[in-house]
Amino acid sequence: MFHLPSPSSMEKPLTVLRVSLYHPTLGPSAFANVPPRLQHDTSPLLLGRGRDTHLQLQLPHLSRRHLSLEPYLEKGSALLAFCLKTLSHKGCVWVNGLTLRYLEQVPLSTVNRVSFSGIQMLLCVEEGTSLEAFVCYFHVSPSPLIYRSEAEETDEWEDVSQEQPPPGSGQQTPGCLGFLHVPSQTWDSPLQPSPGGGTEIQLQREPPDGALY
Amino acid sequence: MSSFEDADTEETVTCLQITVYHPGQLQSGIFQSIRFCSRDKLPSSEVVKFGRNSNICRYTFQDKQVSRVQFSLQLFKQFNSSVLSFEIKNMSKKANLIMDSRELGYLNKMDLPYKCMIRFGEYQFLMEKEDGESLEFFEIQFILSPRSLLQENNWPPHRPIPKYGIYSLSSFQSSSPTEMDENELMNTESLREEM
């Protein structure tokens, strides 16, 4: 399914998806199969437990095909946008405050908080002009990416979630690492957990457990 | 009989009926890979590709002017909806896809209304969706039209079309109900022989 881009298109910068991953109980071992870098063509990128997925995660609660990231172009735009769709029949995927069930989908923003089957994922989109392929860089976070509030939902949390830029706005937040527990390694170094330290600057309320499975 | 009475209730299935036409369809055999009138049952998560490359596409057209992958169809579920919806995506870098009056460029996608006309080059596809209950499967059925589906042949139609049966333009050409002339209907068997 993966096609190498033609030499002429190699000159155009690729759209980058910077993906941080965290699992509260399994830790980094949950992501042992995840490569540090994954380049993919413009077909939907499949994530799940199955062997036919492009990003395979060996987690028991994960569906064989759990979700897809589909690149596409908005009308009038020359930059790749992404649509996340739930492919799991039994589980659901929480994306930026929305719970997606089977075949439900949502366009991604510049910064996205995604949770499914206990996995927390922070996904940042950095625009590129190539329409042949895009590249994912993966990083394992030693600390949570989505804050789990023990308090009831309040207007304050709703205000926080509304601060995210609208989908397709092209608005780049000033370094998506500013929303993360900042790692000591660079994005290009081999995938390994970073040591502790640093402060989480902005987090979003995690959905109740029932919504994650 | 008891197994019929005790069996789980079958769900109806979303069906997309695609009526196709190309002015050179009789001479060129471009639709020879398509099985007309039969319903293909597919998993609802499948991305259905249409084009020239049989290794990639589920439905292929024997025409070098068709892109290796021309367009794709996939199902999704809108929030707060109990039925499945289709979206169409242009996969061709060379040809724009025209959906009714809207133009889709490369990698542009759009929700498919219940009924619409898809065009690229000289190809015409009338797509009509029939809702079903099942979220697991859907069906695609191809119908071959003997004549153009465009405006000069009363497209878009101003009268409701039959829910079942083969689409026929003759049903729109009179103001009162008339018997359908069986000679008006395309006999796919005779057409295959001509091809």
Side-chain angles (χ1 to χ4, degrees):
Chain A
M1 189 178 293
F2 171 70
H3 302 287
L4 285 173
S6 59
S8 60
S9 66
M10 291 287 285
E11 301 170 358
K12 292 186 178 179
L14 299 176
T15 300
V16 174
L17 298 187
R18 296 197 186 273
V19 185
S20 290
L21 298 163
Y22 172 77
H23 196 286
T25 53
L26 297 177
S29 64
F31 310 113
N33 286 348
V34 177
R37 183 184 187 276
L38 174 64
Q39 186 163 323
H40 189 72
D41 61 15
T42 52
S43 64
L45 188 151
L46 300 175
L47 182 154
R49 181 170 43 89
R51 290 184 182 180
D52 63 342
T53 55
H54 305 103
L55 184 61
Q56 187 182 18
L57 301 177
Q58 303 282 5
L59 295 168
H61 293 296
L62 204 62
S63 295
R64 280 160 290 186
R65 289 187 172 193
H66 205 91
L67 60 88
S68 65
L69 290 174
E70 178 210 0
Y72 70 103
L73 282 175
E74 293 278 2
K75 186 75 173 165
S77 173
L79 302 173
L80 284 183
F82 293 87
C83 192
L84 190 153
K85 178 189 274 183
T86 300
L87 299 179
S88 171
H89 293 255
K90 295 183 180 177
C92 56
V93 181
W94 181 91
V95 184
N96 298 332
L98 282 174
T99 300
L100 305 184
R101 291 182 174 82
Y102 180 58
L103 294 187
E104 291 177 343
Q105 61 185 16
V106 67
L108 293 183
S109 306
T110 306
V111 179
N112 306 271
R113 288 166 179 80
V114 184
S115 185
F116 54 95
S117 298
I119 297 168
Q120 297 178 10
M121 185 163 77
L122 185 76
L123 204 156
C124 300
V125 182
E126 294 178 9
E127 295 165 345
T129 51
S130 172
L131 299 183
E132 305 294 329
F134 64 97
V135 64
C136 299
Y137 290 105
F138 296 98
H139 160 252
V140 176
S141 173
S143 53
L145 299 166
I146 301 174
Y147 178 67
R148 185 187 178 88
S149 171
E150 295 183 357
E152 292 181 15
E153 181 179 0
T154 64
D155 288 344
E156 178 183 342
W157 287 109
E158 290 172 2
D159 288 341
V160 168
S161 65
Q162 286 166 9
E163 286 174 6
Q164 279 200 351
S169 67
Q171 195 175 354
Q172 194 87 11
T173 51
C176 72
L177 291 178
F179 291 83
L180 288 179
H181 174 91
V182 180
S184 60
Q185 72 215 46
T186 64
W187 286 103
D188 292 331
S189 60
L191 189 67
Q192 57 184 325
S194 61
T199 307
E200 287 166 330
I201 299 173
Q202 179 171 341
L203 299 168
Q204 186 161 340
R205 188 176 69 89
E206 184 183 352
D209 279 339
L212 297 178
Y213 296 89
Chain B
M1 179 63 76
S2 61
S3 61
F4 171 79
E5 292 172 351
D6 297 334
D8 289 341
T9 307
E10 283 187 8
E11 290 182 313
T12 56
V13 177
T14 301
C15 182
L16 184 71
Q17 187 174 88
I18 304 177
T19 305
V20 303
Y21 174 79
H22 185 285
Q25 64 193 20
L26 294 180
Q27 304 93 319
S28 57
I30 52 178
F31 296 134
Q32 61 184 288
S33 302
I34 307 292
R35 290 190 311 155
F36 290 100
C37 296
S38 67
R39 290 191 170 204
D40 292 336
K41 191 172 182 180
L42 305 172
S44 52
S45 58
E46 177 163 335
V47 178
V48 186
K49 299 185 184 72
F50 299 72
R52 178 166 41 92
N53 191 321
S54 59
N55 292 326
I56 304 172
C57 300
R58 176 171 282 276
Y59 298 108
T60 56
F61 310 111
Q62 311 302 317
D63 183 353
K64 289 183 179 177
Q65 294 186 355
V66 171
S67 295
R68 281 161 289 189
V69 185
Q70 190 74 40
F71 66 91
S72 66
L73 288 175
Q74 57 185 344
L75 281 167
F76 71 102
K77 199 165 82 65
Q78 294 183 4
F79 295 113
N80 302 319
S81 172
S82 59
V83 299
L84 296 175
S85 301
F86 285 96
E87 58 183 7
I88 187 167
K89 186 174 179 182
N90 185 11
M91 301 298 291
S92 172
K93 296 177 185 175
K94 296 193 174 177
N96 282 352
L97 207 63
I98 300 172
M99 187 178 90
D100 290 334
S101 57
R102 287 164 286 188
E103 208 161 320
L104 299 179
Y106 177 57
L107 295 185
N108 290 159
K109 62 175 185 173
M110 192 169 286
D111 295 359
L112 221 59
Y114 275 93
K115 186 173 178 180
C116 68
M117 181 73 75
I118 301 294
R119 287 181 292 139
F120 63 91
E122 294 185 288
Y123 287 84
Q124 303 168 20
F125 297 81
L126 176 66
M127 298 202 176
E128 300 165 274
K129 188 189 92 163
E130 200 173 289
D131 283 334
E133 299 158 336
S134 174
L135 298 182
E136 307 303 318
F137 299 98
F138 72 104
E139 291 177 342
I140 288 183
Q141 182 183 35
F142 277 91
I143 305 292
L144 185 66
S145 174
R147 58 181 60 87
S148 174
L149 303 167
L150 293 181
Q151 182 69 37
E152 55 267 28
N153 288 288
N154 290 330
W155 173 261
H158 299 293
R159 293 168 62 88
I161 64 167
K163 188 173 183 181
Y164 301 104
I166 297 174
Y167 175 86
S168 168
L169 290 169
S170 64
S171 59
F172 298 96
Q173 291 167 356
S174 62
S175 59
S176 58
T178 57
E179 280 187 30
M180 186 158 317
D181 184 347
E182 63 184 5
N183 292 325
E184 297 282 344
L185 296 175
M186 170 54 58
N187 184 323
T188 55
E189 289 303 317
S190 61
L191 184 69
R192 285 195 183 123
E193 289 173 8
E194 288 175 21
M195 285 179 174

